[in-house]
Each structure stands twice: as C-alpha cells, then as structure tokens.
Amino acid sequence: MKKIIAFVIALMCILSLSITVLATDSSSNSEFVVQGSSLNHVTYENIVALYEHWETNGYPDYVGFVYSTDGSSNNLTVLLVEDDGTAENKIRSMLISDAGLSFGSAKYSYNELLAIADEISSEYLEKNNLFYGLGVGWGGAGDGAPGFGNSGKEPRVVVGVDKSILTEYTKKFEKLYGDRVVVFESEAFVREDLRDVTKDKNTGLSWLLIPMMLLVVAGIILFSIRTRLIPAMQTTKGTIITQSVPVSRKETIAAIKNSEVEPSDKVFNSILRRISENDQ
Amino acid sequence: MDNESLRNKLIALQSGDKIAFEDIYNHLKTPMYTIILRITRDRSLSEDILQEVFFKLYKSPPKPTIRKPRAYLFQMARNLAIDHVRKLPQYANWDSVENTVHLPLDDFSTKMDIDHAMKTLPLRECQIVSLHINGGLKFREISDMMDIPLGTVLWRYQKAITQLRSILSGGVT
C-alpha cells in the first residue's frame, strides 16, 4: 500500500513537472508584449492587476522582474532596467492605486532573458538529453540570496544540466551570454527509484493514469484555446475585413517566415550566363 | 542545409561542381533574396545583388576551413546590399539610414500585412529579424556580423517582434 501511495505521489509530481515545463515553454514562445505608447493610457486597479496583465500578454522591455515583496500576493516589487524614473512614473501612471508597489533595479530585461532561454531551449535542451531543466527566475546564488545580481533578487536564465557536462556548458554559456545564464548541476526528472516503482506497479494502476491524463489534456486544450489567436481577415493591401484580434508571437514569426519572396527564375540563368562568359 | 552540408557543397564547388553550386543557390536563394529585399526595398536591384553574390561565390568560394559558411554567405549578401544602397543619394548616410523607417508608425488601429509591418521597423531591426527568421542565423552570428553586442541584438529582436505583433493585431495586444 505504501508503495502504491509513493507511486501516486511520484506520478503526480512528474505530471505537475510536465505541466510546469509546458507552461514555461509556452510563455517563452508566445508572449512578449509591450503596450504601445498610444495604448499606455490603459489603467489597472493596482500592481497585482498590472502584473496579471503582463503575465498574460508579456512584459515591457524595461521590466527586469516582478516578485512578491513579503511573500503575499498583494505587495509586489518591480525591478526596472536602467531606469531614470521614467519607467517608474509610467507604471505608477498606469495604476489607479500604487499601494503595495515597490521598485528595484535589474541589469537585464526579462524579455532579453526569455529570448536567451528560448535560444538555449531550441539549440541545446531539445537536442541534448543531458539538459534537464531551463527557466528564467531565481535559482539561488548559493550565498543565501534567492536570486542574483547585487540585490540577490534579480533573475537569470537558470539551466540545469547533468554533472558530466556542467563544466563544459558553464564555460560555453559564460562565453556566449555572460552572466545572463547560470548553469547548475541537476538530475533528471524521473529517478531510477521511481522508474522501478512504475515498472512494478504500472499495470495495476493504469486506471489512475486515465483521469490524470484527461486533466493534462484538458489543461493543454484550455491553454491552446487561450493562446490560439485568429488573425483578422484582411485584403492584400491590409484593409480590415473583420475586427482586429490579437496575433501571437508564434504567428508573427510564422508570418515573417511565410513572407519570404522568391527571386525570378531569370536570376539563376543570368548567373550561369555570366559564369560562362567569364569562363570563355 | 546545415553548416556541415553547406561546407561539403562548398568543397565540391571548389572543384567546379556546378550541381553543388545549383544546390547552394536553390537552398539559399529565397531567404537571401528576402533579406536583400528588406534592405533595398527594390526587387530589381535585389535580384542584381543576388546575382552578384552567387557569381562571386562561384568565382571564389570560401575556404572549407571557414567555421560558419551560412553566416559567411549571408554576411556577403548583406554587405553587397548595403554597398549598393549606399550608392543611392537618399542613403548616403548609412548610420542614419539604419534608424529610419519606411512607414510611419502612428496608427495602431490600421491593420497591416506583414510586408507593410516590416517597413515600420528601423532597418537595423528589420535586418536582425530577417537574418534570424529568414536566414536561420543564430543571434550570436548576427551579433558578430553586425558588430553589435549580443544583448543588443536580442533586445532589438524582441522589440521588433513585439512591434510587429502589435501592428498585425491592429494594436489590440
């Protein structure tokens, strides 16, 4: 019975980790929004509401990080990048009440770190099974501070790798990204002892998997509905036919990719002609 | 075609292999032409430049020891495009040109297509976006090519994508 309980707990941990990874990937892929200057008159009840807006739609580039000042969800500290007071005033002007709002400074923009995390994800995490984790946030600098930087509160791109490649990638990422990336020794999500339990009890508990998988699938569907965005219909000249709807970052990138233009066929023939003239 | 396959094709090209040359052309013509076009905004001029890039490539292919042939070839195309554009009177001052935009960004309610949206980007950001998405180059390679810090490249890229998203969404994001 104990083994069964242990397995269920382990399974739930694994599934919750999967969901966390999914959420991390999705956020790094799809949501980087800055409120356009013409839209900055939009106001929010307080910093929590603004934070929720950023979490949903993406952060402006001048924000380095947001964290809870005292562990509660009411008091938040916003770290700003190279701010001379302009960004702070801008944020305050977006709020009906600035109660619970504090400011600090950060070296790097959260968006910049997300972009690096995105690159590491596609270049390394997806290709090397000795990369176990990736995220942007606090990872502990090892000196008691939760995060990084002078304040110990700044985020970095935190990469978890296997011990065997730790030194190699610490050096490599240091060279590529400076102190934006911190590499830690990590372990794979599924440990050997969990695998053994799974192997022993898998068939008897497969019924448990069904509702859990359904929950996961429902979560994925809900998530995709939330982020699935339909581009407005328009003419080739850009005239709107339907109302504007948000276009995701992924769709924007796909649109750029799809907008590639082919040169006419005569170009290659001209090159060949020039080559043959040159050869003569 | 990754850097390794491209390198093999370049080795074959050094021995005068025209099929390898055609393979390289077919693989790179579209992204390269797109990037050149984003710089020049002129189809006919862009085709001339593309022609020149590949003629030069055939005449003197890079040495096989070159580490990143893909980035090298895109850099060659970019340099030629900039050289051509600089000759035009309105582009005499390249530094200011890289900051100029071809369409004003003053109406978020106007829905635009991606080609129009790209024209609202400063040329420097337009190049970063195009080199990364169309050219498939890494941010590090773009940073080396354009001689600007990696952080700046990433920053500008994010800003550009954000701006494009906002425009494509008609300002609703």
Side-chain angles (χ1 to χ4, degrees):
Chain A
M1 186 62 186
K2 278 182 184 171
K3 277 189 175 178
I4 294 172
I5 293 168
F7 170 69
V8 171
I9 292 168
L11 190 65
M12 288 174 80
C13 288
I14 293 165
L15 286 172
S16 66
L17 277 172
S18 310
I19 294 166
T20 307
V21 169
L22 173 73
T24 305
D25 284 347
S26 304
S27 66
S28 66
N29 279 336
S30 62
E31 301 292 341
F32 300 106
V33 176
V34 184
Q35 289 281 314
S37 56
S38 60
L39 301 175
N40 281 344
H41 59 271
V42 175
T43 53
Y44 298 85
E45 196 177 339
N46 51 35
I47 183 59
V48 179
L50 178 58
Y51 166 70
E52 281 168 4
H53 168 76
W54 284 341
E55 274 292 301
T56 309
N57 298 302
Y59 287 79
D61 286 337
Y62 53 75
V63 172
F65 202 46
V66 180
Y67 64 86
S68 168
T69 313
D70 55 4
S72 76
S73 57
N74 298 324
N75 301 315
L76 301 181
T77 299
V78 180
L79 302 184
L80 300 172
V81 184
E82 293 173 4
D83 185 41
D84 58 359
T86 313
E88 183 176 330
N89 291 336
K90 194 170 184 177
I91 290 173
R92 286 191 196 280
S93 71
M94 291 163 80
L95 305 177
I96 294 166
S97 162
D98 63 1
L101 169 64
S102 307
F103 289 99
S105 63
K107 198 170 169 186
Y108 305 113
S109 163
Y110 189 57
N111 283 344
E112 183 183 345
L113 298 180
L114 285 175
I116 293 174
D118 209 21
E119 188 168 271
I120 291 175
S121 173
S122 59
E123 291 297 319
Y124 304 97
L125 193 73
E126 290 165 14
K127 294 174 184 169
N128 189 335
N129 58 12
L130 295 176
F131 274 71
Y132 298 139
L134 173 68
V136 177
W138 290 348
D143 55 2
F148 307 91
N150 293 335
S151 63
K153 298 286 177 69
E154 290 183 41
R156 292 289 183 267
V157 178
V158 181
V159 186
V161 300
D162 191 80
K163 191 180 178 181
S164 60
I165 59 167
L166 178 66
T167 314
E168 178 192 350
Y169 280 92
T170 301
K171 283 181 189 165
K172 186 169 190 165
F173 289 155
E174 160 94 47
K175 197 177 164 196
L176 283 173
Y177 305 112
D179 70 341
R180 294 174 182 85
V181 177
V182 180
V183 186
F184 283 109
E185 181 186 331
S186 178
E187 289 181 357
F189 289 134
V190 183
R191 295 183 190 174
E192 284 305 316
D193 51 349
L194 297 182
R195 281 202 191 114
D196 289 341
V197 175
T198 313
K199 196 177 166 188
D200 292 341
K201 300 291 176 186
N202 201 18
T203 48
L205 288 168
S206 56
W207 60 273
L208 265 174
L209 277 171
I210 297 167
M212 285 188 178
M213 288 312 290
L214 282 174
L215 274 175
V216 172
V217 170
I220 293 169
I221 291 168
L222 276 174
F223 184 81
S224 65
I225 287 170
R226 190 176 69 79
T227 55
R228 188 167 56 84
L229 302 159
I230 306 154
M233 283 177 67
Q234 57 182 334
T235 65
T236 50
K237 296 284 181 194
T239 310
I240 310 169
I241 295 172
T242 62
Q243 281 221 312
S244 295
V245 286
V247 173
S248 72
R249 184 173 179 268
K250 219 174 218 173
E251 285 168 331
T252 305
I253 291 169
I256 297 166
K257 186 76 190 155
N258 292 336
S259 72
E260 285 184 345
V261 191
E262 273 207 42
S264 63
D265 292 340
K266 67 176 188 190
V267 176
F268 192 63
N269 293 332
S270 302
I271 297 168
L272 292 180
R273 202 178 312 118
R274 272 184 79 178
I275 288 171
S276 95
E277 281 167 12
N278 189 65
D279 285 347
Q280 281 168 7
Chain B
M1 194 185 287
D2 59 14
N3 273 322
E4 201 48 49
S5 336
L6 187 56
R7 187 175 288 111
N8 291 335
K9 295 282 179 195
L10 289 171
I11 292 169
L13 177 60
Q14 284 214 318
S15 328
D17 185 342
K18 283 194 176 172
I19 292 171
F21 178 68
E22 192 170 350
D23 286 347
I24 298 170
Y25 177 80
N26 284 331
H27 175 67
L28 294 179
K29 66 176 179 183
T30 306
M32 197 173 273
Y33 178 66
T34 304
I35 290 164
I36 297 169
L37 188 60
R38 299 258 185 249
I39 296 172
T40 65
R41 316 278 182 198
D42 182 324
R43 280 179 179 253
S44 169
L45 177 62
S46 299
E47 289 194 345
D48 289 347
I49 294 167
L50 185 70
Q51 197 186 118
E52 204 172 326
V53 171
F54 278 90
F55 180 65
K56 281 190 172 185
L57 174 68
Y58 184 83
K59 264 184 26 179
S60 49
K63 289 176 184 169
T65 47
I66 194 160
R67 217 160 58 88
K68 292 170 179 169
R70 190 180 174 89
Y72 174 89
L73 294 177
F74 278 104
Q75 177 152 26
M76 201 167 135
R78 175 179 178 264
N79 289 348
L80 275 172
I82 290 172
D83 284 348
H84 272 80
V85 166
R86 266 181 177 159
K87 287 175 192 162
L88 303 171
Q90 66 268 37
Y91 291 136
N93 182 351
W94 180 251
D95 286 340
S96 66
V97 168
E98 286 216 306
N99 291 320
T100 58
V101 295
H102 290 256
L103 278 178
L105 184 62
D106 55 3
D107 186 0
F108 273 88
S109 65
T110 304
K111 181 87 178 148
M112 296 183 183
D113 62 26
I114 189 69
D115 286 328
H116 284 79
M118 288 291 280
K119 286 177 188 167
T120 67
L121 295 178
L123 200 46
R124 187 181 286 121
E125 286 173 17
C126 185
Q127 287 177 69
I128 292 172
V129 167
S130 210
L131 285 166
H132 181 63
I133 297 175
N134 304 118
L137 299 190
K138 293 174 186 167
F139 291 119
R140 166 62 56 190
E141 292 169 336
I142 297 169
S143 152
D144 292 342
M145 179 187 294
M146 297 180 75
D147 198 24
I148 47 179
L150 175 66
T152 309
V153 172
L154 290 163
W155 185 283
R156 286 184 182 279
Y157 176 78
Q158 290 310 331
K159 282 180 81 164
I161 295 295
T162 302
Q163 182 171 317
L164 293 173
R165 258 192 82 183
S166 188
I167 294 167
L168 291 176
S169 304
V172 296
T173 55

